[in-house]
Amino acid sequence: MSQINLGGSGLMVPTIALGAMRMGEKSDAQAQEVVETVMSKGVNFFDTADIYGDGQSTSKLAGALKAAGVKREDIILQSKGGILSDDGPVAGDGILGPRYEFSKDHIIASVDAELSRLNTDYLDVFLLHRPDALVQPEEVAAAFDVLSAAGKVKQFGVSNMNPWQVELLQSVLDQKLVANQLQFGVMHTGMVDAGLHVNMSDARSVDHDGGILPYSQLKNMTIQAWSPFQYGMFEGHFVDNDKFPELNAKLQEIADNHHSTKNGIAVAFILSMPANMQVVLGSMTPSRLTEMIDGRDVQLTHQEWYDIYFAAGNDLP
C-alpha cells in the first residue's frame, strides 16, 4: 500500500482511508465484512465523526474492528467533532443543534464521547468538522492543549476550511494542523478549475476556496478528499450513471488500458494530484471498495488525467 506522510507530521498513512459515515446503517456482519475487506487491501486508516448517525456509525465501526480481531496498534483512527445535529446531542453534553460549536468544552466532550464509542484511549487524528462562525481561536487552542497533554489526540486538523480560516487557527496553536478534509473528485474539481482559469471571467474562474490547493501544497497540509464519487454534494454517484455517458465511456476506455476499472481510475485521478492527497472512501460495498482501492496502483499519464477532466464537462481557457 502506498503511503504518505500526513501533513509532514511523521505519521505515515495509506493514500486511501475508509470513511465510516454510512456504517451505522449496516448490520454487524456487513460492517465486519467491510473492515476485513479494506484491511486485506492494506487500508488501516478509518475516518469517522460524532455526527455520523448520531454516534452510531462510530460504535458500529468499533464493533466491526473488534469482531475482525483488529489490534489497536495496527490501525489509525481519525474522528471529527463540532457539528451538532437537529436530532439531538451528539457529544453527550446536552446541547441541541443544529449549529457548529468550537468551544473548549464541546471539543473536549466530542473527543471523549468518540473515545468511549471507539473503546480506545486515543485518536491518532482529530479534525474540526466545518468552520464555526463564532469560533474563538484561543478556545480551540486550549482544548487542543488539554487533549494533547492527556494523550487523547496525537495529531490535529480541520475540515472544509479555507486558507485564512486555517491560518487564524494555526496562529494560536502549538500543534500543526496536518490535514484538511475537502470534497474533491472527478466531478468536484473547483479547487483545480479556479487555478486553470486565472485571469479569466468565466464561471470556472471563480475561486470558492481561497486558493486552498496551492496553499495546502505550500504548507505541506494533506488534503483528504471526501465523497470522491459524488457529483454535486450528495446527489449520487457518477460511475455507471446514465447522466454522464461521455465520462463513463472515457473512464472505461482508460480502465481497459490499465487493466483496471472505472472505480479504480476515478481514484487514480485524485491520487495523480501533486498535493499529498488521501482519498476517503465512503462505500460500504466490498466489491466496489476492492475496485476503488486497486486504483492506487494505476499511474495515469498527463493526457489521461486531462481527458478525464474534459469528459467530466470541464474545459481550458
Side-chain angles (χ1 to χ4, degrees):
M1 164 62 83
S2 56
Q3 292 189 319
I4 56 173
N5 184 349
L6 189 72
S9 65
L11 177 62
M12 301 303 296
V13 301
T15 54
I16 293 176
L18 179 74
M21 185 172 73
R22 296 180 176 86
M23 189 167 282
E25 304 167 2
K26 299 300 178 181
S27 68
D28 292 346
Q30 289 171 325
Q32 180 181 344
E33 183 182 9
V34 167
V35 166
E36 291 174 342
T37 296
V38 300
M39 288 289 291
S40 71
K41 303 292 288 185
V43 173
N44 68 340
F45 191 112
F46 297 90
D47 168 78
T48 187
D50 58 3
I51 191 67
Y52 294 163
D54 282 334
Q56 292 304 307
S57 290
T58 298
S59 297
K60 186 75 68 170
L61 171 62
L65 290 167
K66 181 178 180 180
V70 176
K71 297 179 180 179
R72 177 64 181 91
E73 61 267 26
D74 293 336
I75 58 174
I76 300 163
L77 291 177
Q78 172 177 283
S79 189
K80 304 180 288 292
I83 298 179
L84 291 99
S85 78
D86 54 5
D87 296 325
V90 295
D93 54 15
I95 304 174
L96 299 179
R99 72 167 186 275
Y100 302 152
E101 173 78 50
F102 284 174
S103 68
K104 175 186 175 182
D105 289 346
H106 183 73
I107 291 171
I108 293 173
S110 296
V111 170
D112 285 342
E114 281 292 271
L115 292 176
S116 177
R117 294 183 189 106
L118 287 165
N119 192 28
T120 185
D121 295 328
Y122 69 97
L123 293 173
D124 296 282
V125 190
F126 175 73
L127 309 183
L128 297 174
H129 204 175
R130 292 196 174 275
D132 173 16
L134 303 180
V135 62
Q136 297 289 340
E138 292 77 14
E139 290 259 316
V140 175
F144 283 11
D145 286 345
V146 169
L147 294 169
S148 180
K152 293 181 178 180
V153 178
K154 305 299 184 182
Q155 304 292 338
F156 297 88
V158 297
S159 177
N160 304 291
M161 291 195 187
N162 66 37
W164 283 112
Q165 291 168 324
V166 174
E167 283 290 300
L168 177 63
L169 291 174
Q170 191 65 79
S171 70
V172 299
L173 294 175
D174 290 332
Q175 303 82 10
K176 182 182 186 295
L177 296 171
V178 299
N180 193 355
Q181 202 165 100
L182 301 157
Q183 188 175 11
F184 183 78
V186 171
M187 290 295 292
H188 197 98
T189 54
M191 66 179 74
V192 169
D193 302 341
L196 291 174
H197 289 253
V198 170
N199 201 37
M200 305 299 292
S201 58
D202 58 324
R204 289 187 178 85
S205 69
V206 178
D207 186 354
H208 296 280
D209 308 305
I212 193 63
L213 181 58
Y215 172 85
S216 300
Q217 290 178 262
L218 182 65
K219 297 295 185 177
N220 192 17
M221 191 174 189
T222 296
I223 291 177
Q224 296 179 330
W226 62 265
S227 286
F229 285 84
Q230 294 281 334
Y231 66 94
M233 188 170 181
F234 291 120
E235 276 112 58
H237 292 180
F238 57 81
V239 171
D240 292 329
N241 190 323
D242 292 340
K243 291 182 179 180
F244 309 106
E246 182 180 352
L247 173 58
N248 277 279
K250 179 56 66 175
L251 290 172
Q252 187 62 64
E253 175 190 328
I254 295 175
D256 291 342
N257 291 340
H258 288 275
H259 306 289
S260 184
T261 62
K262 286 180 280 189
N263 285 315
I265 297 303
V267 166
F269 177 87
I270 299 171
L271 294 180
S272 296
M273 295 298 299
N276 201 30
M277 286 198 179
Q278 184 184 40
V279 182
V280 182
L281 301 179
S283 175
M284 292 288 110
T285 304
S287 59
R288 289 191 70 226
L289 283 168
T290 297
E291 291 182 353
M292 293 170 180
I293 294 168
D294 286 346
R296 71 194 169 195
D297 300 320
V298 175
Q299 297 293 320
L300 298 178
T301 67
H302 276 52
Q303 189 60 60
E304 287 172 332
W305 190 94
Y306 274 98
D307 285 346
I308 295 168
Y309 183 73
F310 297 145
N314 300 298
D315 59 17
L316 296 178

